[in-house]
Amino acid sequence: MRNVAFIPARIGSTRLKNKALISIQSETLLSLAIKKSIYSESFDEIVCLGDCDKFRNIAYSNDIKYIDRDPLSASNEAKADEVVLEIIKKTDSDNIFWINITHPFTKIITIKKTVEMLSKLSNNFDSLYTVHSWHGHASLDQDLNKPINFNINNSFSQTQSLDKLFLLTYGIMAWKSFNYLKRYEQFSSAMLNGKKGIIEVSRLESIWIKYQSDLDMVLEIVNKNNIWDFIY
């Protein structure tokens, strides 16, 4: 069973410029994801899928493989399905694992668990996703008029009686490579493929750096601590 981790990085990030090169203490978001993947000792190969020499240098300095992204994959129009398709075609994998740079608090043990779950044949999973569960009232609009798991005409429900929601965090996503290709050829999409499994993570691990405010929150959390204390 050949397990390959890939870490996509794109120099043209728009919401937060040069996101992959942002530093948290002594690590960039890219180098942090690479080192967590290495320290997990779970992969036969680790690849940075990037589009600039700075990413290449970070990859090589950590002794991992670097692959240039296709122009479409590196554009703002790129779809996640196409990014996964590209890395599967450019590597030799039975299982492919997307380790997201935007989730600095993803724990090494979570990476290990994801690889173990997808590799265990008896689980028969085609794909896996980190999720954060929410046991509370949720609505699809800010006016709370489109409830997901409660009825606005009933008395206010106790939270323990509500259906638990599962929110994809995107910290780690993983697929059986052959099954991904098979579905993509049929539907031109395969991100949510076949029998799906989840790995529940904490609120901390689910933090996603998308905007400057997210980065500010992360920097505040690690202000007087070592980032690695949160990861091990």
Side-chain angles (χ1 to χ4, degrees):
M1 190 72 68
R2 184 169 168 78
N3 295 311
V4 175
F6 81 102
I7 303 162
R10 192 168 65 88
I11 199 65
S13 56
T14 52
R15 287 181 291 261
L16 205 52
K17 287 192 174 183
N18 298 324
K19 181 164 49 184
L21 301 175
I22 289 172
S23 292
I24 296 180
Q25 296 173 350
S26 61
E27 303 289 350
T28 63
L29 290 178
L30 176 56
S31 67
L32 188 63
I34 290 172
K35 289 180 178 178
K36 285 189 286 188
S37 301
I38 293 171
Y39 297 161
S40 75
E41 299 180 331
S42 298
F43 301 109
D44 298 289
E45 185 174 48
I46 300 170
V47 179
C48 173
L49 184 67
D51 61 352
C52 77
D53 287 338
K54 289 181 179 179
F55 299 158
R56 185 193 309 272
N57 293 337
I58 292 173
Y60 288 166
S61 67
N62 285 282
D63 296 320
I64 70 163
K65 187 175 182 178
Y66 177 86
I67 295 177
D68 284 311
R69 298 177 76 146
D70 292 337
L72 176 61
S73 167
S75 72
N76 289 331
E77 288 72 38
K79 300 293 190 294
D81 304 81
E82 295 158 356
V83 176
V84 178
L85 179 68
E86 177 183 4
I87 195 66
I88 289 176
K89 288 186 172 182
K90 289 183 175 180
T91 56
D92 176 20
S93 66
D94 294 302
N95 300 324
I96 197 81
F97 299 81
W98 183 329
I99 310 298
N100 208 324
I101 64 168
T102 54
H103 292 64
F105 295 118
T106 295
K107 289 181 173 291
I108 291 171
I109 193 171
T110 304
I111 296 175
K112 285 178 173 285
K113 183 177 180 181
T114 306
V115 176
E116 290 169 1
M117 285 181 65
L118 195 61
S119 300
K120 190 174 181 180
L121 295 178
S122 60
N123 286 335
N124 201 31
F125 290 128
D126 295 299
S127 51
L128 285 176
Y129 314 88
T130 50
V131 301
H132 175 61
S133 62
W134 174 254
H135 219 151
H137 296 75
S139 174
L140 292 173
D141 71 331
Q142 63 182 8
D143 297 320
L144 305 182
N145 287 322
K146 295 182 179 179
I148 296 173
N149 59 349
F150 66 96
N151 190 322
I152 58 176
N153 295 317
N154 293 343
S155 58
F156 201 65
S157 305
Q158 293 180 315
T159 54
Q160 61 266 33
S161 69
L162 298 172
D163 288 337
K164 186 160 64 170
L165 303 178
F166 295 90
L167 313 177
L168 271 69
T169 69
Y170 317 109
I172 307 173
M173 298 179 284
W175 303 268
K176 296 282 188 188
S177 300
F178 177 81
N179 294 349
Y180 186 97
L181 289 174
K182 187 176 178 180
R183 179 181 172 87
Y184 190 92
E185 288 170 2
Q186 186 175 1
F187 298 104
S188 297
S189 64
M191 290 295 287
L192 294 165
N193 186 39
K195 182 181 178 183
K196 296 168 282 292
I198 62 170
I199 304 95
E200 286 201 54
V201 299
S202 66
R203 290 189 185 184
L204 187 66
E205 282 190 84
S206 69
I207 290 176
W208 175 17
I209 297 179
K210 193 172 184 179
Y211 301 105
Q212 182 63 45
S213 58
D214 303 318
L215 176 61
D216 293 341
M217 176 174 60
V218 168
L219 294 176
E220 181 64 27
I221 290 170
V222 302
N223 182 29
K224 294 182 180 179
N225 300 279
N226 188 317
I227 180 63
W228 290 101
D229 291 338
F230 297 93
I231 296 168
Y232 272 108

